[in-house]
Amino acid sequence: MSDARWALIEPVFVAWRAARTGPGTAARVHELREIVNAILYVNRTGIPWEYLPHDFPPYKTVYDYYAKWEVDGTAQHVHDLLRDKSRRAHGRPAAPSAAVIDAQSVKTSANVAEASQGIGAGKKIKGRKRHVATDTLGLVLAVIVTAASVH
């Protein structure tokens, strides 16, 4: 991650770390930037967490940070911050006034639980459906994955 990009999101992660207290928070061994770099590496390459190269912090540590940021909304906060900044750079207000919504049916593999998939009425596809809402610039506002039978 470049220095300029890190400067945009660093305050969010530093504030998150400063707010955390309790057992295991005193001895922080790994830099937050390296944790974020490792998460971005997994996202970009699609590798399992266990195959994270040894140049990064241990995969269990990286995943622990990722899981905590997902649960407490830190990841969503960073996403919203970057989306708002991008909208302002394009001369738009930070909050969008319109959205584009679409859905796509996707086949699932044979080993997916029946409860999480369905048959889409329109395309007769057994699987899941991705519902995506974007603003008029194409920036993601929301993503929901449901059974293909959901309208």
Side-chain angles (χ1 to χ4, degrees):
M1 175 178 293
S2 69
D3 291 339
R5 289 180 180 175
W6 176 243
L8 292 173
I9 61 174
E10 180 183 22
V12 175
F13 293 118
V14 170
W16 177 85
R17 185 176 257 181
R20 297 192 51 83
T21 58
T25 60
R28 294 178 172 127
V29 178
H30 305 289
E31 293 183 28
L32 287 170
R33 184 172 180 171
E34 284 304 307
I35 299 288
V36 173
N37 282 336
I39 292 169
L40 293 175
Y41 183 85
V42 169
N43 178 265
R44 167 80 76 159
T45 61
I47 63 168
W49 291 100
E50 295 85 10
Y51 297 143
L52 195 62
H54 296 290
D55 299 348
F56 294 114
Y59 77 90
K60 289 182 179 183
T61 302
V62 174
Y63 181 77
D64 184 56
Y65 274 86
Y66 169 76
K68 287 175 181 171
W69 290 340
E70 282 295 318
V71 168
D72 69 11
T74 302
Q76 183 66 42
H77 179 66
V78 169
H79 178 264
D80 295 344
L81 174 82
L82 295 175
R83 184 188 61 235
D84 294 351
K85 186 164 184 64
S86 179
R87 286 185 57 81
R88 281 192 225 101
H90 283 89
R92 307 276 181 120
S97 60
V100 178
I101 301 173
D102 198 7
Q104 178 184 26
S105 298
V106 180
K107 290 181 182 179
T108 53
S109 64
N111 59 354
V112 175
E114 287 288 326
S116 70
Q117 58 183 334
I119 297 176
K123 297 180 183 175
K124 306 291 187 230
I125 291 178
K126 183 176 182 178
R128 294 188 177 135
K129 193 179 283 186
R130 300 185 279 228
H131 306 270
V132 179
T134 64
D135 66 3
T136 54
L137 294 174
L139 302 172
V140 176
L141 299 173
V143 176
I144 299 173
V145 178
T146 63
S149 55
V150 174
H151 299 277

